[in-house]
Amino acid sequence: MNRRQFSRSLLAASGAALLTNPLRQAMATEMDTAFPNVGEPIKIEGAPRKVTLAWSADSICTAAFPVAQQKGFFKKYNLDVNFIDFAGSVDQMLETMSTGKADGASGMALRWLKPLQQGFDVKLVAGLHSGCLHLLAPQNGSIKTIAELKGKTIGVGDIGGPAKNFFSMRFKEIGIDPEKDVNWRQFPEDMLPLALKRGAIQAAGLDDPLAHLFQTKNQLVSIDSNMEGKWQHIACCVVGLRGSLIRKEPMVAKAITQAILEAGQWVHHNKMEAAKMFEPYAPKVSAQELAAILETEGTHEQSVGKQLRDNVVFYADELKKIGVFPQSLNSETYANKVTQDLFTG
């Protein structure tokens, strides 16, 4: 059973037991929002412009994509969008865009940033939201904070994945060496709760939706996440477009981005209805359960232009500290290379 099949089966099995953690919910309550200024809506003239977007249909994080389709945001911008449910590697997704088989996609920044060093003709154009990475520990266990994991073992589904890299950066922030002071063990993601129960690990790093679902099903709590401190304002999931589209049809690129961001803003203010729209992609899961996951994420955090570029510079600087990027990397140059400002100048 692959990750997608497992996450869908766990969603189905969770049933009414899925409850929102009050602390996590509080982080994503309605607040004054400052969505980015992307100018007047761009509507492509003539026949609807056919566009292909790749997305991961097993993740509620990408709810803005089906919402943009079903609520008419793509139509508003005269876009005729076809979705590719992409289950391959990030390199394959970036190659799909580079070669023109897809015009754009959404994914986790920490999955995209390292592969983008390889020179794919793909540009990051927007940050869609923050949040969705969590460090889980037993609810009644002795570990209550990330600092208490010094000398302990943490389980992750991918030793080179976003959870391991993100929480390595978090350890570095508080003066703990993520390689010398912490042990990392890789397990199939569905085995992480059992590893915690048996004491093989003392915490588990996961991204949503599994992180949220494991909490409620296995009496776990989130002791740290990328909704803590400055990270709550940093894009977790990003939107990328193929470079050739941006160069040859900048108005189409802008229209796609505007439609997705507008849909994301609608999701922020209408989480329950957005969850209902996502239900077909998560069979047997109630809208209440899906909305509970959206409540834990920073759906009010979007970024474009300089803010997105600054996010990437910040990521690059932090990734250099844990050895993912070489010390010789110029973070400013890298950010300028992999991002594109569609809305100024």
Side-chain angles (χ1 to χ4, degrees):
M1 182 178 288
N2 61 32
R3 182 185 188 281
R4 174 166 300 184
Q5 291 170 325
F6 177 74
S7 62
R8 284 179 172 170
S9 66
L10 183 57
L11 277 165
S14 63
L18 181 58
L19 303 173
T20 303
N21 182 309
L23 292 177
R24 290 175 63 187
Q25 186 174 14
M27 290 189 290
T29 54
E30 289 292 327
M31 60 180 70
D32 292 333
T33 59
F35 291 118
N37 180 10
V38 295
E40 293 299 315
I42 295 295
K43 184 172 181 179
I44 308 303
E45 298 298 327
R49 174 64 163 80
K50 293 187 180 296
V51 172
T52 299
L53 298 178
W55 74 309
S56 178
D58 69 335
S59 176
I60 188 66
C61 298
T62 57
F65 276 52
V67 163
Q69 190 81 296
Q70 295 179 47
K71 291 297 291 184
F73 292 108
F74 287 136
K75 185 176 181 180
K76 171 183 174 180
Y77 290 87
N78 201 24
L79 299 170
D80 180 5
V81 175
N82 175 56
F83 287 138
I84 299 175
D85 184 359
F86 201 90
S89 69
V90 173
D91 285 32
Q92 290 172 323
M93 179 179 281
L94 294 174
E95 182 67 23
T96 296
M97 283 190 280
S98 290
T99 56
K101 296 176 183 176
D103 298 299
S106 177
M108 293 186 70
L110 282 171
R111 288 197 186 278
W112 284 36
L113 293 177
K114 182 65 175 178
L116 281 173
Q117 273 193 295
Q118 301 175 31
F120 291 105
D121 189 20
V122 173
K123 301 290 186 181
L124 303 181
V125 296
L128 193 53
H129 64 81
S130 64
C132 76
L133 281 165
H134 296 272
L135 193 59
L136 306 181
Q139 189 172 28
N140 298 319
S142 60
I143 303 297
K144 304 298 182 183
T145 68
I146 187 172
E148 294 172 330
L149 286 168
K150 184 174 182 180
K152 307 297 185 181
T153 301
I154 301 172
V156 290
D158 179 0
I159 206 68
K164 197 265 186 180
N165 288 337
F166 175 72
F167 292 110
S168 290
M169 292 187 288
R170 288 286 288 160
F171 280 123
K172 201 73 173 179
E173 287 177 6
I174 61 175
I176 294 177
D177 189 314
E179 298 304 318
K180 295 179 181 179
D181 297 334
V182 179
N183 300 311
W184 300 91
R185 289 189 64 184
Q186 182 170 316
F187 290 86
E189 288 183 322
D190 58 310
M191 296 298 293
L192 287 170
L194 181 60
L196 279 168
K197 184 177 181 180
R198 293 182 173 178
I201 57 177
Q202 285 71 58
L206 284 158
D207 57 285
D208 283 326
L210 291 185
H212 189 78
L213 298 173
F214 280 155
Q215 285 188 72
T216 58
K217 189 175 176 63
N218 299 278
Q219 295 184 312
L220 305 176
V221 292
S222 177
I223 61 171
D224 200 71
S225 76
N226 56 351
M227 284 293 284
E228 299 286 347
K230 56 193 171 186
W231 290 101
Q232 66 184 296
H233 304 299
I234 304 295
C236 174
C237 290
V238 293
V239 177
L241 298 178
R242 61 180 172 91
S244 57
L245 176 72
I246 294 171
R247 293 189 297 272
K248 296 176 182 178
E249 300 181 88
M251 292 300 99
V252 174
K254 186 174 181 179
I256 294 170
T257 308
Q258 283 181 315
I260 294 171
L261 289 176
E262 193 170 336
Q265 293 168 20
W266 188 91
V267 170
H268 172 67
H269 293 292
N270 302 274
K271 293 183 178 69
M272 180 58 71
E273 191 174 347
K276 290 178 181 178
M277 293 181 186
F278 195 82
E279 274 187 293
Y281 304 100
K284 300 181 181 180
V285 183
S286 70
Q288 288 81 3
E289 293 167 326
L290 295 170
I293 297 175
L294 286 176
E295 290 287 356
T296 69
E297 298 177 354
T299 53
H300 56 284
E301 295 286 349
Q302 293 184 341
S303 57
V304 297
K306 183 180 183 300
Q307 184 181 357
L308 175 64
R309 178 187 167 279
D310 289 347
N311 280 187
V312 174
V313 170
F314 179 75
Y315 269 124
D317 285 342
E318 296 302 306
L319 289 169
K320 285 163 65 174
K321 294 177 184 177
I322 62 170
V324 173
F325 281 165
Q327 291 299 313
S328 59
L329 178 81
N330 185 306
S331 299
E332 299 274 347
T333 301
Y334 169 76
N336 287 334
K337 180 180 179 181
V338 302
T339 64
Q340 183 73 42
D341 185 352
L342 300 176
F343 303 103
T344 60

